[in-house]
């Protein structure tokens, strides 16, 4: 396939699709070297600037990565985010990664107006405020900020979360079994502090999530999380459209 100069699709975007197809067809595996910008320019009849634009895009999308002085390589496939009420620990283990957690801050504080509204509790209600960096095989994946009412899990602050899953502590120590939840996912850009924690360049894209988890109708956790968009993607099954009355 070649670049179509008459197409309304910009050349850098056409090259993106052509390159991704070529990587699959040529059987390039993870960490394989991609031809240089000069070679690609010659192959597809494009200027070096256009090729660079495509490579920049594919790097930002997490499809390729650059090693200064060495070249551009095929990146690992993204992790598919489980759209389920699973804990980070369960999810990572199921995919063969070793989950990790580093406390960034833990304290008990009054629920803000927004948090209280979302959780269905009075403003100012004491909540555990837990901020953690989540890792997979030691690599930063997400920053998670959770609020949990103190009345639900009174001495949760006495448990270490670095070697143990929050959901398993809720279950084993407080008898709380989460039975329903809801999650909103939006595109976002990480601020300087989060970019540093996640080891990403400033302004990198992230998946910004807000999750409410319930047990017996009571909101147990409100979590606001930032997941690396270069490592995660969403996938969901689509059910057939139901017509009225069915
Ligand atoms: C998931 C949840 C998070 C929860 C955590 C518990 C999302 C967006 N977030 O990462 O709300 O706090 O699991 O994980 O899915 P843990 O039991 O491993 O500590």
């Amino acid at each position: 396939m070649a670049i179509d100069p008459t197409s309304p699709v910009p050349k850098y975007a056409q090259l993106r699709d052509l390159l991704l197809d070529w990587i699959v067809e040529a059987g390039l595996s993870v960490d394989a070297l991609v031809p240089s910008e000069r070679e690609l320019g010659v192959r597809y009849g494009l200027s070096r600037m256009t090729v660079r634009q495509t490579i920049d895009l594919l790097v930002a999308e997490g499809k390729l990565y650059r090693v200064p002085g060495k070249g551009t390589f095929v990146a690992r496939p993204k992790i598919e985010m489980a759209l389920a009420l699973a804990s980070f620990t369960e999810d990572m283990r199921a995919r063969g990664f070793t989950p990790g957690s580093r406390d960034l801050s833990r304290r008990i504080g009054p629920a803000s107006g927004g948090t209280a509204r979302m959780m269905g509790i009075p403003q100012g209600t004491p909540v555990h405020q837990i901020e953690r960096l989540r890792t997979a095989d030691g690599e930063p994946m997400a920053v998670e900020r959770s609020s949990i009412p103190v009345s639900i899990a009174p001495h949760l602050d006495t448990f270490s979360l670095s070697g143990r899953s929050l959901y398993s502590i809720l279950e084993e120590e407080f008898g709380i079994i989460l039975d329903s939840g809801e999650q909103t996912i939006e595109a976002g850009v990480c601020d300087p502090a989060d970019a540093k924690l996640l080891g990403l360049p400033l302004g990198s894209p992230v998946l910004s999530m807000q999750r409410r988890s319930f047990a017996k109708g009571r909101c147990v956790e409100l979590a606001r999380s930032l997941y690396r968009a270069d490592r995660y993607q969403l996938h969901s099954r689509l059910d057939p459209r139901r017509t009225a009355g069915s």
Side-chain angles (χ1 to χ4, degrees), residues 36 60 77 85 102 105 239:
S36 69
L85 196 50
R102 195 178 102 209
S105 90
D239 292 329

Side-chain angles (χ1 to χ4, degrees), residues 203-217:
S204 294
V206 282
L207 296 169
S208 168
M209 330 234 169
Q210 183 164 278
R211 181 192 278 207
R212 288 195 296 171
S213 310
F214 300 84
K216 296 183 180 150

Side-chain angles (χ1 to χ4, degrees), residues 81-93 99-101 130 132 134 142-148 161 164-170 178 183-185 207-213 221-227 232:
M81 174 156 294
L83 293 173
L85 196 50
S87 74
F88 183 87
T89 302
E90 286 167 335
D91 191 27
M92 287 302 117
R93 285 205 181 120
S101 184
I130 303 167
R132 295 183 291 167
R134 310 309 305 264
V143 178
E144 295 200 312
R145 300 183 170 96
S146 304
S147 296
I148 297 174
L161 288 173
R164 216 169 149 195
S165 144
L166 172 62
Y167 283 3
S168 72
I169 293 175
L170 289 176
L178 298 171
Q183 190 162 316
T184 308
I185 304 166
L207 296 169
S208 168
M209 330 234 169
Q210 183 164 278
R211 181 192 278 207
R212 288 195 296 171
S213 310
E221 182 195 33
L222 171 68
R224 297 186 175 102
S225 315
L226 293 181
Y227 277 68
Y232 274 88

